[in-house]
Amino acid sequence: MNDEVDTEITRQVWSGRVPLTIRLADADGGSEEEALNVLALRCAYLPLYMPLIRAHFAAIRSRSEAELAAEWWFSWRGIPLKWHYPIGLLHDLFTHSSLPSSAASKQDPTNPWRITLHFSAFPADKIFRSLPTPTLANDPPRDFYMNSLKESDFIRNMSVKKTMSLSKPDQTLLWDTLAESAGASTDSDLQRSHAKLVELHDTFWSVDAKLMMGNVAAAAVESDETSVGTGGLAGGNHLCRSVAVRCYSGWDKPLFQELISPKNSSGADVTLLEALRILAPDLIPAASTSNDMEGTHEDGSLLDTVKLISHGVEIPLDTPIAWLARHFSYPDNFLHLVLCIS
Amino acid sequence: MAKASKKTGTLTRTPEAKNKLTSVKTSIAKDSASKDKSGWKAKGNLTKQKTENLIDELDASLPRLIASISKNKEKLKRESGAFGVLSRPKNEEVMRRNEERQRTEDGLEDAMKLIAMQKSPTTEKGDPFLDQDTPSNRNHLIYTIPYAIVVVVRFRATGSAPILKQSIFKITASQRFQAVIGFLRKELALGPGDSLFLYINSAFAPAPDEVVATLFKQLGADRNFPPAPLSSTTHIARKQHE
């Protein structure tokens, strides 16, 4: 069956890391020697590393942690980093998309990724602080994550039933596992770190599979019982309404997001290239837009210029989008792709 | 028909835009459909019917709307200085042109609601997430043109949220969700201490930097996908006093 998950791949995706070098901004009294090196999980979010980072700078600067607990934000070459993007996505965005001239300098490379931590002058006009949602735990990243989960669920199934029907422990487990993984990734014993990450990955997937994988079974049940609701899609061979995919063409450009059915009308898998044509029809040369064929041969020149990157990997354009969504989705169950046109 | 050709004239300047134009047309048609009380089942061919529906709807609320519109116009005039802060001359020009087109198409009611919505970009410091007008972005203006259409937003109060006098608004589709939040905060006259929670289709709260057009599309208002169960983008607002 092609709807099984290759755990080896999801484990690799889960434990993918980006080397970060974090230094404190000059305005906050930072200096070169104090920089903190972290191997950060691509799937994790910057706020998950804040306890570690805060402890590091508090120890060095002999400042109280409370003093450093104020609003914080990261920047790279002067560009504020969105904390609600996974670290891997941020890294892919800045490594592979064109940069503004102001940030095109050679300093602060992306490998290791040298980012700056700020404790003052929060750029409220560039990044937002928290979601306007009731914060039970008063934990904006967690709230944001839960809402992203629901949003991706909605895109896939047109309802958030799957997310909402998770038990409370299961719901909290998802974010907690991610947070724990972020902690485990900083373990200096790489072997122990890896083992722990694999374990956490399995824990995460034991719950996440209910969100990601229930589609096949649910679709079968629905067609059997002819229940009304999200099922009953044309042809009956759709696993879900759409894959949850976001395509970024640059750090400063609006992202592309369309509903993309995992199967086309004739029941064949939709490939990444076909998905790309739906996502960004204007970026694909006009000649190939109307071309519904596989396109790998005719569009040789196109394929040379278009690259799609996720988790730091260039993805072959003939990959079925459903397979990609199952294996390469971030923990928020969105497939985040960075589009790079040379 | 003259209107339609005018629209085509503006949008087909580049050949690539042609494809997009079709989607603009569908989107506008969809937009019309959203006004249809039966929900999303109706598709296309609705421009006339829509206008009629609108006029029917309007009859009841006309006097109040006119009053609010003149008030808003005054406000807009006062705030026109703040408008300039956005410093996005080209996009703004495009938007204004599109809005004007929309106005002629949809008549009085739309014009009024558009103006009502125009307050949103000027909330406090302006829309914080519209800072994306970089030179590189301007080259991609073609993508922003299709989104300079309008999405109908229906607010539904829940919990302790006050019920809005007018629950249906239009917002330029290229706006960030932040603009909706800012607009509603203003509309409800919320202070900095009041919290406002917004959900889409009672399902999820989007990030403030998500684009309204994208959220709209997620509801499945695409011909390849089944229609969304609820008409239009429905937001549920809740107000909590601190």
Side-chain angles (χ1 to χ4, degrees):
Chain A
M1 285 295 282
N2 67 342
D3 37 66
E4 276 165 17
V5 169
D6 188 335
T7 359
E8 202 42 53
I9 297 174
T10 51
R11 274 181 193 157
Q12 291 284 341
V13 166
W14 182 263
S15 17
R17 280 175 263 201
V18 177
L20 294 183
T21 301
I22 299 161
R23 55 160 304 191
L24 205 53
D26 293 338
D28 295 309
S31 72
E32 207 55 42
E33 302 81 56
E34 291 178 346
L36 168 69
N37 294 304
V38 187
L39 268 176
L41 280 190
R42 285 186 159 268
C43 285
Y45 298 83
L46 283 167
L48 289 177
Y49 286 94
M50 273 321 282
L52 176 87
I53 295 166
R54 238 181 236 137
H56 171 85
F57 288 107
I60 287 188
R61 324 266 320 154
S62 64
R63 286 196 211 172
S64 70
E65 287 208 30
E67 200 182 328
L68 295 175
E71 279 182 327
W72 53 265
W73 54 287
F74 290 95
S75 73
W76 178 72
R77 293 189 188 171
I79 307 166
L81 303 181
K82 291 180 174 171
W83 59 261
H84 61 292
Y85 281 10
I87 296 169
L89 168 63
L90 286 171
H91 187 258
D92 288 348
L93 258 180
F94 288 115
T95 314
H96 296 288
S97 72
S98 57
L99 295 169
S101 50
S102 63
S105 65
K106 283 279 173 282
Q107 73 189 103
D108 292 350
T110 51
N111 193 17
W113 198 21
R114 291 176 51 88
I115 58 175
T116 310
L117 173 66
H118 304 255
F119 281 109
S120 54
F122 187 89
D125 56 333
K126 300 279 201 314
I127 44 183
F128 64 88
R129 287 187 174 87
S130 64
L131 273 186
T133 51
T135 50
L136 295 173
N138 201 17
D139 186 355
R142 180 195 288 267
D143 291 336
F144 173 78
Y145 174 75
M146 285 316 293
N147 273 292
S148 296
L149 266 188
K150 287 193 227 167
E151 190 169 349
S152 60
D153 192 11
F154 191 91
I155 292 171
R156 277 196 303 275
N157 306 310
M158 265 201 23
S159 80
V160 290
K161 262 188 240 154
K162 278 194 178 140
T163 317
M164 299 311 279
S165 60
L166 287 182
S167 66
K168 189 74 195 163
D170 277 358
Q171 278 189 19
T172 46
L173 175 136
L174 291 172
W175 176 256
D176 289 346
T177 318
L178 190 59
E180 216 181 310
S181 297
S185 70
T186 59
D187 193 330
S188 53
D189 183 339
L190 282 179
Q191 241 170 0
R192 194 173 56 199
S193 166
H194 186 71
K196 183 80 181 149
L197 282 176
V198 167
E199 190 192 319
L200 288 165
H201 159 272
D202 294 350
T203 316
F204 182 88
W205 266 88
S206 69
V207 173
D208 197 42
K210 293 178 195 165
L211 300 177
M212 293 289 276
M213 302 304 302
N215 296 321
V216 189
V221 168
E222 271 177 26
S223 59
D224 284 351
E225 299 175 356
T226 57
S227 65
V228 199
T230 59
L233 300 184
N237 47 9
H238 293 255
L239 302 183
C240 51
R241 169 175 81 138
S242 165
V243 289
V245 54
R246 286 183 170 163
C247 180
Y248 304 77
S249 63
W251 68 278
D252 59 339
K253 298 190 191 80
L255 56 88
F256 301 108
Q257 187 176 329
E258 299 285 341
L259 296 174
I260 296 172
S261 173
K263 302 256 187 200
N264 64 21
S265 46
S266 54
D269 283 337
V270 170
T271 65
L272 189 53
L273 182 65
E274 287 160 342
L276 188 60
R277 286 189 180 134
I278 303 171
L279 283 164
D282 301 309
L283 293 179
I284 306 302
S288 61
T289 319
S290 57
N291 183 3
D292 285 333
M293 304 298 287
E294 282 283 307
T296 31
H297 307 298
E298 307 94 288
D299 304 326
S301 56
L302 159 75
L303 298 189
D304 287 344
T305 56
V306 174
K307 278 201 286 184
L308 270 174
I309 288 131
S310 189
H311 296 283
V313 181
E314 187 187 337
I315 299 166
L317 291 177
D318 54 359
T319 315
I321 192 88
W323 185 93
L324 202 60
R326 271 200 304 280
H327 294 89
F328 269 54
S329 284
Y330 279 82
D332 59 6
N333 289 346
F334 269 106
L335 191 56
H336 295 288
L337 303 170
V338 172
L339 177 65
C340 169
I341 296 185
S342 48
Chain B
M1 279 303 102
K3 278 178 222 156
S5 63
K6 187 181 149 202
K7 176 166 72 189
T8 321
T10 331
L11 279 164
T12 43
R13 217 178 287 156
T14 50
E16 294 95 315
K18 244 179 186 161
N19 285 322
K20 266 298 173 190
L21 174 67
T22 340
S23 74
V24 176
K25 279 179 173 166
T26 2
S27 303
I28 290 174
K30 266 183 239 146
D31 193 12
S32 326
S34 70
K35 275 288 177 184
D36 186 346
K37 276 175 190 147
S38 63
W40 285 106
K41 275 159 210 153
K43 279 177 202 159
N45 305 329
L46 265 174
T47 323
K48 262 208 177 127
Q49 201 195 325
K50 177 195 177 189
T51 328
E52 282 161 18
N53 282 352
L54 287 183
I55 289 169
D56 286 348
E57 265 182 47
L58 199 61
D59 274 340
S61 52
L62 195 60
R64 184 168 47 78
L65 282 173
I66 288 176
S68 85
I69 209 66
S70 54
K71 203 178 84 196
N72 287 326
K73 264 184 187 160
E74 283 299 313
K75 245 188 199 160
L76 201 66
K77 257 182 204 167
R78 282 202 304 276
E79 287 169 355
S80 55
F83 232 88
V85 178
L86 285 176
S87 70
R88 32 205 312 277
K90 272 197 179 172
N91 275 350
E92 212 177 294
E93 179 63 29
V94 170
M95 276 186 176
R96 211 181 357 255
R97 234 182 290 141
N98 275 291
E99 277 162 13
E100 254 154 37
R101 193 160 51 231
Q102 190 76 33
R103 236 170 274 177
T104 44
E105 270 175 25
D106 292 340
L108 179 68
E109 188 245 22
D110 277 6
M112 294 196 295
K113 284 182 180 168
L114 269 176
I115 290 172
M117 266 330 264
Q118 275 195 355
K119 288 193 297 177
S120 53
T122 63
T123 45
E124 279 111 341
K125 294 159 228 145
D127 177 5
F129 299 105
L130 281 175
D131 57 313
Q132 323 239 350
D133 191 36
T134 56
S136 61
N137 209 13
R138 235 170 265 140
N139 296 336
H140 292 261
L141 202 59
I142 179 162
Y143 310 124
T144 62
I145 291 173
Y147 296 134
I149 52 161
V150 166
V151 168
V152 177
V153 180
R154 175 178 299 157
F155 295 109
R156 213 162 58 186
T158 181
S160 60
I163 292 158
L164 287 159
K165 277 185 220 146
Q166 180 192 353
S167 65
I168 298 175
F169 292 89
K170 291 194 164 193
I171 182 162
T172 319
S174 59
Q175 292 269 27
R176 305 274 161 158
F177 191 64
Q178 173 77 11
V180 180
I181 300 170
F183 167 75
L184 201 59
R185 286 194 79 89
K186 243 186 172 177
E187 196 74 2
L188 295 170
L190 296 187
D194 299 320
S195 23
L196 171 75
F197 309 127
L198 275 176
Y199 295 87
I200 290 196
N201 267 24
S202 319
F204 62 92
D209 64 344
E210 280 189 58
V211 176
V212 172
T214 310
L215 293 169
F216 178 76
K217 277 186 273 182
Q218 281 176 16
L219 294 172
D222 190 287
R223 60 193 160 82
N224 297 323
F225 294 93
L230 290 168
S231 64
S232 173
T233 322
T234 310
H235 300 281
I236 293 204
R238 184 147 65 107
K239 190 189 173 192
Q240 234 184 25
H241 289 285
E242 303 280 88

